[in-house]
Amino acid sequence: MPKRTDLKTILIIGSGPIVIGQACEFDYSGTQAVKALKEEGYRVVLVNSNPATIMTDPELADATYIEPITSTFIEKIIIKENPDAILPTMGGQTALNAAMDLHNKGILEKYGIELIGAKVDSIRKAESRELFHKAMNKIGLEVSKGEFVKNSEDAKRFLDTTGFPIIIRPSFTLGGTGGGIAYNIEEFEVIVNKGLDASPIREVLVEESLLGWKEFELEVMRDVNDNFVVICSIENFDPMGVHTGDSITVAPSQTLSDRQYQQLRDASKKIISEIGVETGGSNIQFAVNPDNGRIVVIEMNPRVSRSSALASKATGFPIAKIAAKLAVGYTLDEIPNDITKTTPSCFEPVIDYVVVKIPRWDFDKFRSTNPDNDVLGVQMKSVGEVMSFGRNFREAFQKAIRSLENGRAGLGSDGKDLYSYEYLGNLGESDRENLKNKILTKLKTPRSDNIFHIRYAYLLGADTEEIFVSTKIDKWFLNQIKEIVETEIELRTYKFS
Amino acid sequence: MKKINPEIIRKAKLNGFSDKQLAEILNTEESKIREFRFENGIVPVYKTVDTCAAEFEASTPYHYSAYEKYNETVSSEKEKIIILGGGPNRIGQGIEFDYCCVRCVTALREEGYETIMINCNPETVSTDYDIPDKLYFEPLTVEDVLNICLYEKKVKGIIVSFGGQTPLKLSKELEKRGLKILGTSSEDIDIAEDRKKFGKLLDKLQIPKPEYGTGNDPVSSIKAANKIGYPVLLRPSYVLGGRAMQIVYNDSQVENFFKEEIEVSKDHPVLIDKFLEEAREIDVDAVCDGKDVYIAGIMQHIEEAGIHSGDSTSILPPVSINPKSLKQIKNYTKKIALALKVKGLINIQFAVKDNIVYVLEANPRASRTVPFVSKTTGIPVVTIAAKIITGKKLKDFNLKDFDKINYIGIKEPIFPFQKFPRVKMFLGPEMRSTGEVMGIAGSFGEAMAKAQESTGAGMPVIGNIFVSVNDNDKKNKTIEIIKKYVELGFGMIATGGTSKFLNDNGIKSEPVYKVNEGRPNVVDRIKNGDIQIVINTPLGSESRYDEYSIGWEAVQNKIPFITTLSAASSFAEGIKQIKEGKIEVKSLQEYYK
């Protein structure tokens, strides 16, 4: 289908300031979208309150507004610029929320403006747990047991049906702000109340815990003709319970059988069709029970996301650019692949390397009386991330660690270890056993420095099974780390002269 | 012990070990490992990211290293410039440097150079393969950058001044290997970063600076602090974003500073500066070609000196600096830029107290305020700087004065306190904001209202204000500010001392308990929705670390939490503007006309 000629001016909404949970990945997607739409001859109007972005450079859009991203201000821009459509899928949750607000206040209707990229109904279906769960049930996919509640009494009623641990997620907040995992009734009450306060609509989801399950994400795209492609599969190194933004992630997925992968792929196609994202990219998250392979759909983002930036960089497939073109009517088979120039965008990317992403935290900036400030959970805390390529996981993993610029040159043995190799080697039998057990206990709580402790555990003679019991990190990943440690031990039998 | 051989090193490389790790494990130096690798031909090849596992022909210039046989990239015969990116986002080094790198690459492409970008942050625009001629997605370490620089032919030089502190840290090592760093020389950068050398330079130029000293341990630091006179600002050398900086008021606070985990060594002592209390702080971004200096923007901070510039709200152009001081600032900027032989950008921070202009620091590189300056003035500052680095002169550009603009830009920081329960919320010399928003408008109040609206906290136009000011702030200036709020129709709620102070000066206020005085206290009142704005000024050694439970409650309830009088005053201007309904939108393109 050719591009739409009924549209002349398109308004793109940016993502506003950099906050934890929404960083410069949306400058990347927004910049691509502005360029792509201008390339197609549309007049592009942009609003973003963040001056440090490339997208707000005056030569990019035709009219650039550095103004607050609120319905009041966007309406003023609409009156001045008279756009035919708004593309709300490039600016993260901020843009999507703003678009929904414009719809709810009747502003879109009043000025006859169409949402492109994602329709109001699709956004609602994807964002409202209730509608999303209904939709998943309709197409025969499982979701985690959960309930939306607006007060702590209802939350407690649900708790009685599941028991601990239990997850609390406030509705409509960024990066899970105000959410958490409760292990006892006291924590439960605190987190529920905090979550209600954090939610703009005073609503939280109380949800059965899938802690310890494996977590996967698929970055997918769909066009108006229902063509569907998987751009990339991403596996979380950390099990469920750690926010994806705080998890080490790996692309392509490493521990799925082909059968399982195809199951996720088929499920993704059904999901994007049912939710009705007609044109563009989505991110779909799954949890897989390592014991029996049970698949549960966690959520879907009907927009480009942090993960789609990662998937774009990992594969070379420019998701945001293609999504912008799909939004104005092109189909995947009509858009040439940027890189090969000869194949169309409906060819799924194939990668022959491994990509690892590691988050960067700045906990030392927020020294606090709270000893658990650096515990990783459902609320994202990292402020940035690095990615690296390797021919295998081990290479990409160590390269990513040294990319972080936090003083580490790889997975330990870099002069910065808490326990040096010599120290560990010189421990007596019982000290060794004690330290090993101490570390295995520590590893039960996800923290930013756990990967280094996995190395200490191996050096102290722990086996993969023991470390798995503590961390619930897939044994394939643990064995990769073991191989790194074994290589180190082998290197130590050599002398440099 | 076996003698080292190429096979085991190759194996280590396939497992991702860095030269630094190998040096540590094999008890030698990193450079020795590197020599061994090069002697034995253990160097990476570069593979291409092509979406199709090499099934189809691809010409993407997007690469990564691998210790394998087949190389998938060629180095062209064109003259090249390598630009080093900023690495992962962190507090103190974020999207601003991605902006600078991208603009630099674009400018150099315009000049006809082949541009090569090295960066490892997947969130950025600079790692979009569309931006540079060639992209290497690699760690920004000496090892990985050197491998690329030695592989590429006809490299004119490397640019390290747009990616924040990350690339700067590599420049000395790269120079040692015979690579050319473009722009301001590393000796001159060193003069700016080294307190002693920079102090000497300022003395020579007869430019005032706060008194300073250094210390390696508590004893020598206390001695130095007493010589300078409290309060003093303590900080470890070579840091960005003011990591572990502190303002201290007495000897025991100096001791406590050393108890926190800070890395101090002979080479990197603790820097001790006189802290100018209640001084006005100014940020200047300028471009220099070695002969002429262009002042791109002068920003006045709303907060007094002592609060990290990245955490301050900045106004461009300045609104309340007297013309004589402004002239002085421009004059000093030119002198310093020329003395440091700057080629490209320089950022200088000033403090003005009692009409004396002091220089706090100078950084001859792109600063985090450069994008804000560009967006406000419409002058493509980075583009100009990048072209100057490659040989153009300032007179080649037809530049207008930044202060000829007839509107105002305000940059306001965004903090992640909601994510970190119970952290101290009062602002200080250590930067903690993750991002920023901008308000641009014809008047100060309107720009302020827009910036505040963009932070998400908004500006309440009705309700009650909780006021708690310290003894230093119990003065006429405070009364004037509070009166503004009273005129806007706000009610006042205050604790004992402040309440008395207000009543004595004819402002009615409702008394409320402090947190430990009884119930319902101020925190209860915030929870109950009785308070819409908090104005709470801490100062001095004790109050700075006190009462942050009020701030924490305010943040949780999305209530504006204002900690300085100057911010309170600006805030009132914004509210006034909103009440009068005079807020319009205007595109940048219209402003620049």
Side-chain angles (χ1 to χ4, degrees):
Chain A
M1 227 176 277
K3 74 173 184 217
R4 292 175 58 176
T5 51
D6 56 328
L7 306 175
K8 299 279 182 276
T9 299
I10 299 173
L11 170 66
I12 296 179
I13 307 178
S15 67
I18 304 300
V19 295
I20 290 177
Q22 203 165 270
C24 61
E25 64 268 16
F26 297 111
D27 188 26
Y28 166 62
S29 53
T31 303
Q32 278 202 346
V34 174
K35 283 194 203 163
L37 294 183
K38 280 202 69 169
E39 209 175 278
E40 294 300 332
Y42 295 100
R43 181 166 178 274
V44 176
V45 178
L46 173 75
V47 57
N48 194 356
S49 56
N50 186 342
T53 50
I54 298 287
M55 70 194 293
T56 54
D57 246 1
E59 55 256 48
L60 268 165
D62 295 286
T64 310
Y65 287 86
I66 297 191
E67 303 285 0
I69 305 171
T70 64
S71 55
T72 318
F73 280 88
I74 298 176
E75 185 177 6
K76 287 176 198 267
I77 295 168
I78 289 172
I79 292 169
K80 273 189 80 171
E81 300 288 346
N82 213 358
D84 305 295
I86 292 180
L87 180 62
T89 51
M90 299 294 163
Q93 198 60 39
T94 300
L96 224 44
N97 287 353
M100 288 306 277
D101 205 27
L102 289 169
H103 167 78
N104 294 335
K105 290 186 173 147
I107 296 170
L108 295 180
E109 205 187 12
K110 185 174 168 194
Y111 299 96
I113 296 168
E114 179 186 345
L115 284 190
I116 56 172
K119 304 287 175 209
V120 167
D121 284 346
S122 310
I123 298 173
R124 251 202 213 126
K125 260 197 206 172
E127 301 251 300
S128 145
R129 293 270 168 164
E130 215 170 329
L131 296 177
F132 186 68
H133 283 203
K134 252 188 219 152
M136 293 305 102
N137 288 334
K138 192 176 149 203
I139 52 174
L141 293 173
E142 241 190 286
V143 284
S144 62
K145 240 176 84 182
E147 202 177 301
F148 282 94
V149 295
K150 291 194 175 278
N151 57 57
S152 58
E153 291 73 43
D154 288 345
K156 252 180 255 165
R157 212 164 298 131
F158 176 79
L159 172 67
D160 293 338
T161 69
T162 59
F164 293 104
I166 186 164
I167 297 188
I168 298 110
R169 299 176 199 271
S171 300
F172 295 101
T173 67
L174 261 186
T177 301
I181 303 164
Y183 293 88
N184 60 48
I185 187 72
E186 195 185 315
E187 280 177 359
F188 180 74
E189 278 169 3
V190 170
I191 301 173
V192 166
N193 284 321
K194 220 175 73 183
L196 287 169
D197 287 347
S199 165
I201 57 166
R202 284 200 72 79
E203 181 186 81
V204 296
L205 172 71
V206 277
E207 198 180 27
E208 101 179 89
S209 151
L210 304 175
L211 289 183
W213 290 34
K214 303 208 286 185
E215 189 171 352
F216 297 88
E217 290 176 82
L218 261 62
E219 286 301 318
V220 300
M221 299 196 85
R222 182 179 179 234
D223 67 20
V224 282
N225 288 349
D226 202 20
N227 292 312
F228 164 88
V229 284
V230 176
I231 306 304
C232 189
S233 64
I234 301 174
E235 175 163 4
N236 285 17
F237 169 95
D238 298 285
M240 285 288 292
V242 176
H243 192 284
T244 313
D246 273 353
S247 181
I248 294 172
T249 59
V250 187
S253 59
Q254 301 290 310
T255 72
L256 284 177
S257 66
D258 184 50
R259 220 185 121 79
Q260 281 175 315
Y261 172 69
Q262 295 306 335
Q263 278 177 334
L264 297 188
R265 190 174 185 282
D266 292 346
S268 299
K269 185 169 190 320
K270 279 194 208 162
I271 295 167
I272 195 168
S273 300
E274 178 58 30
I275 297 299
V277 176
E278 275 179 7
T279 58
S282 287
N283 156 268
I284 305 175
Q285 293 168 25
F286 297 96
V288 176
N289 187 327
D291 300 328
N292 55 22
R294 189 182 143 205
I295 296 173
V296 163
V297 185
I298 307 167
E299 67 168 6
M300 181 228 211
N301 289 307
R303 55 172 171 86
V304 301
S305 61
R306 185 181 324 102
S307 300
S308 45
L310 186 74
S312 294
K313 299 293 164 67
T315 60
F317 189 102
I319 294 175
K321 181 177 177 177
I322 306 294
K325 297 209 169 183
L326 296 180
V328 293
Y330 283 110
T331 51
L332 284 163
D333 53 303
E334 290 172 338
I335 308 168
N337 177 316
D338 239 14
I339 283 185
T340 62
K341 311 276 188 215
T342 53
T343 57
S345 292
C346 56
F347 279 33
E348 291 189 342
V350 181
I351 61 185
D352 55 356
Y353 44 80
V354 178
V355 170
V356 174
K357 172 212 92 176
I358 305 186
R360 153 119 189 182
W361 294 273
D362 269 351
F363 291 120
D364 57 342
K365 292 272 180 184
F366 301 97
R367 293 176 297 273
S368 146
T369 48
N370 182 356
D372 288 340
N373 243 11
D374 72 327
V375 170
L376 307 180
V378 296
Q379 173 172 311
M380 181 169 160
K381 292 176 175 173
S382 62
V383 293
E385 61 189 37
V386 295
M387 181 182 101
S388 78
F389 290 86
R391 300 302 283 179
N392 55 55
F393 173 78
R394 304 178 302 280
E395 186 184 12
F397 184 58
Q398 294 225 71
K399 264 169 104 175
I401 295 172
R402 72 174 186 263
S403 295
L404 281 169
E405 254 184 276
N406 53 10
R408 305 308 302 251
L411 186 72
S413 62
D414 57 354
K416 295 283 168 79
D417 289 317
L418 184 59
Y419 310 108
S420 73
Y421 186 85
E422 291 71 28
Y423 172 82
L424 295 177
N426 291 335
L427 286 178
E429 194 63 39
S430 69
D431 285 345
R432 205 175 153 78
E433 195 61 23
N434 286 342
L435 184 58
K436 185 183 100 177
N437 290 332
K438 188 180 139 194
I439 287 170
L440 286 173
T441 307
K442 178 186 154 61
L443 284 173
K444 286 182 179 166
T445 309
R447 285 183 198 261
S448 57
D449 60 350
N450 273 12
I451 50 175
F452 297 102
H453 288 268
I454 293 173
R455 171 174 167 268
Y456 301 138
Y458 274 124
L459 286 174
L460 288 165
D463 63 26
T464 301
E465 182 62 35
E466 286 174 290
I467 300 174
F468 171 73
V469 169
S470 286
T471 61
K472 293 287 188 285
I473 292 169
D474 193 277
K475 286 177 202 164
W476 187 86
F477 289 120
L478 294 176
N479 282 325
Q480 291 285 305
I481 293 179
K482 191 176 171 198
E483 255 187 75
I484 294 175
V485 176
E486 282 167 351
T487 306
E488 179 194 338
I489 294 171
E490 187 187 349
L491 277 163
R492 289 186 187 276
T493 63
Y494 287 86
K495 197 174 81 198
F496 193 91
S497 53
Chain B
M1 295 284 262
K2 291 170 276 188
K3 193 172 165 351
I4 198 79
N5 62 49
E7 286 69 44
I8 183 70
I9 296 294
R10 197 173 280 280
K11 181 178 176 185
K13 284 291 166 190
L14 289 174
N15 282 284
F17 282 85
S18 62
D19 288 352
K20 214 172 188 171
Q21 279 173 298
L22 293 176
E24 184 71 24
I25 294 169
L26 297 166
N27 208 5
T28 180
E29 283 154 38
E30 190 183 345
S31 58
K32 293 267 164 55
I33 298 283
R34 190 173 302 135
E35 275 165 36
F36 182 85
R37 278 204 296 111
F38 282 119
E39 276 164 22
N40 291 281
I42 308 171
V43 289
V45 296
Y46 293 95
K47 298 282 181 190
T48 301
V49 178
D50 64 358
T51 74
C52 60
E55 189 181 343
F56 302 95
E57 185 101 18
S59 54
T60 2
Y62 180 7
H63 307 287
Y64 65 94
S65 67
Y67 282 87
E68 285 190 358
K69 263 190 189 157
Y70 298 103
N71 202 356
E72 292 177 4
T73 173
V74 282
S75 183
S76 78
E77 291 303 320
K78 266 183 89 177
E79 193 166 39
K80 302 173 188 68
I81 294 180
I82 295 178
I83 299 99
L84 302 186
N89 281 5
R90 68 207 77 163
I91 288 174
Q93 188 170 309
I95 183 172
E96 306 84 359
F97 297 106
D98 185 44
Y99 170 89
C100 292
C101 286
V102 171
R103 293 303 317 218
C104 170
V105 166
T106 315
L108 297 179
R109 286 183 82 164
E110 278 169 23
E111 293 295 289
Y113 293 103
E114 180 175 327
T115 53
I116 296 177
M117 179 81 217
I118 308 176
N119 201 1
C120 57
N121 180 347
E123 304 172 321
T124 55
V125 180
S126 59
T127 54
D128 185 344
Y129 57 80
D130 253 3
I131 299 291
D133 293 288
K134 203 171 190 180
L135 166 67
Y136 285 98
F137 210 105
E138 289 283 292
L140 288 159
T141 65
V142 173
E143 172 183 352
D144 299 282
V145 171
L146 255 184
N147 281 342
I148 296 166
C149 294
L150 298 177
Y151 169 75
E152 288 287 348
K153 291 181 294 193
K154 294 191 93 169
V155 176
K156 179 182 164 78
I158 303 168
I159 292 187
V160 296
S161 51
F162 292 103
Q165 197 84 355
T166 302
L168 273 185
K169 279 194 292 197
L170 302 178
S171 54
K172 272 189 195 155
E173 279 292 324
L174 296 176
E175 268 184 336
K176 254 193 235 161
R177 299 286 306 196
L179 293 159
K180 191 168 163 42
I181 304 294
L182 301 178
T184 311
S185 77
S186 62
E187 293 99 74
D188 289 316
I189 292 174
D190 194 54
I191 293 177
E193 298 220 321
D194 184 309
R195 273 271 120 157
K196 261 189 197 148
K197 292 181 192 163
F198 188 59
K200 252 188 213 157
L201 178 78
L202 291 179
D203 287 342
K204 208 178 91 191
L205 299 172
Q206 295 182 307
I207 297 175
K209 58 178 188 306
E211 270 187 76
Y212 69 96
T214 57
N216 292 309
D217 49 52
V219 176
S220 61
S221 302
I222 286 171
K223 205 176 143 199
N226 280 298
K227 199 178 148 214
I228 295 163
Y230 288 105
V232 295
L233 179 66
L234 299 181
R235 56 176 160 175
S237 41
Y238 280 96
V239 284
L240 189 78
R243 196 171 163 270
M245 281 192 192
Q246 249 176 54
I247 294 163
V248 298
Y249 293 81
N250 54 46
D251 293 356
S252 69
Q253 287 180 341
V254 176
E255 274 170 28
N256 286 338
F257 178 78
F258 278 86
K259 280 180 196 149
E260 295 199 20
E261 315 148 49
I262 53 160
E263 280 181 44
V264 181
S265 63
K266 264 230 168 79
D267 298 337
H268 299 286
V270 166
L271 307 175
I272 305 166
D273 294 273
K274 173 76 187 168
F275 174 56
L276 301 168
E277 251 179 331
E278 291 189 70
R280 290 242 158 262
E281 200 162 309
I282 309 283
D283 239 301
V284 177
D285 282 311
V287 189
C288 176
D289 62 7
K291 216 173 133 229
D292 292 308
V293 180
Y294 171 67
I295 295 179
I298 298 182
M299 291 150 276
Q300 177 186 347
H301 295 180
I302 287 187
E303 290 80 8
E304 283 90 12
I307 289 168
H308 192 279
S309 67
D311 280 0
S312 296
T313 299
S314 301
I315 315 164
L316 174 75
V319 287
S320 62
I321 303 291
N322 70 47
K324 205 182 140 220
S325 296
L326 269 182
K327 214 176 138 193
Q328 197 80 287
I329 287 165
K330 289 180 183 172
N331 179 20
Y332 290 167
T333 301
K334 287 181 181 167
K335 275 191 179 172
I336 293 169
L338 291 174
L340 288 172
K341 300 192 261 323
V342 168
K343 277 189 85 188
L345 281 160
I346 181 167
N347 168 272
I348 305 178
Q349 285 169 28
F350 296 92
V352 183
K353 189 177 180 175
D354 304 328
N355 288 324
I356 301 173
V357 175
Y358 299 87
V359 170
L360 301 179
E361 59 178 291
N363 293 295
R365 56 171 171 81
S367 74
R368 78 174 64 76
T369 45
V370 163
F372 167 65
V373 167
S374 272
K375 298 297 157 77
T376 305
T377 61
I379 308 274
V381 181
V382 178
T383 306
I384 294 164
K387 291 186 177 179
I388 278 169
I389 287 175
T390 53
K392 282 226 161 135
K393 295 288 169 206
L394 271 170
K395 61 173 168 41
D396 299 334
F397 305 89
N398 190 15
L399 294 169
K400 63 167 187 192
D401 272 354
F402 81 92
D403 41 12
K404 294 274 147 57
I405 60 174
N406 57 357
Y407 51 86
I408 281 184
I410 294 181
K411 174 175 90 77
E412 192 168 338
I414 302 284
F415 299 94
F417 294 134
Q418 256 190 318
K419 302 269 182 180
F420 299 99
R422 285 189 269 161
V423 301
K424 291 163 187 163
M425 280 183 39
F426 292 121
L427 303 181
E430 184 173 13
M431 178 169 165
R432 291 185 300 173
S433 59
T434 55
E436 67 206 37
V437 293
M438 169 170 165
I440 179 168
S443 73
F444 176 78
E446 192 179 351
M448 190 68 213
K450 284 183 179 181
Q452 185 60 26
E453 189 67 38
S454 287
T455 65
M459 272 192 162
V461 291
I462 188 164
N464 294 315
I465 297 178
F466 169 73
V467 193
S468 169
V469 293
N470 60 61
D471 290 341
N472 287 351
D473 286 336
K474 292 190 173 110
K475 55 193 177 195
N476 287 341
K477 189 177 134 200
T478 310
I479 293 298
E480 274 167 40
I481 293 165
I482 299 301
K483 274 191 177 150
K484 284 194 201 174
Y485 285 96
V486 174
E487 279 162 24
L488 289 165
F490 285 91
M492 295 295 146
I493 297 178
T495 52
T498 306
S499 183
K500 184 176 179 304
F501 164 68
L502 293 178
N503 291 340
D504 288 351
N505 285 280
I507 296 173
K508 262 208 301 196
S509 68
E510 183 190 330
V512 65
Y513 286 129
K514 283 185 185 168
V515 177
N516 296 319
E517 284 178 346
R519 308 287 293 265
N521 59 35
V522 49
V523 169
D524 296 319
R525 300 291 302 266
I526 294 175
K527 280 192 187 183
N528 293 338
D530 298 337
I531 291 169
Q532 281 65 45
I533 299 172
V534 173
I535 298 173
N536 186 358
T537 68
L539 191 78
S541 56
E542 298 312 317
S543 61
R544 219 169 250 278
Y545 297 104
D546 197 22
E547 289 191 90
Y548 52 89
S549 56
I550 298 174
W552 176 233
E553 201 54 45
V555 162
Q556 284 305 296
N557 289 281
K558 295 202 174 133
I559 290 172
F561 181 64
I562 301 168
T563 56
T564 63
L565 286 176
S566 36
S569 172
S570 316
F571 205 84
E573 298 279 319
I575 294 173
K576 192 166 164 238
Q577 199 76 27
I578 295 177
K579 285 203 133 176
E580 289 170 1
K582 280 189 271 177
I583 295 194
E584 283 313 315
V585 295
K586 204 166 161 184
S587 69
L588 294 183
Q589 289 83 357
E590 290 174 89
Y591 281 111
Y592 302 160
K593 254 180 212 160

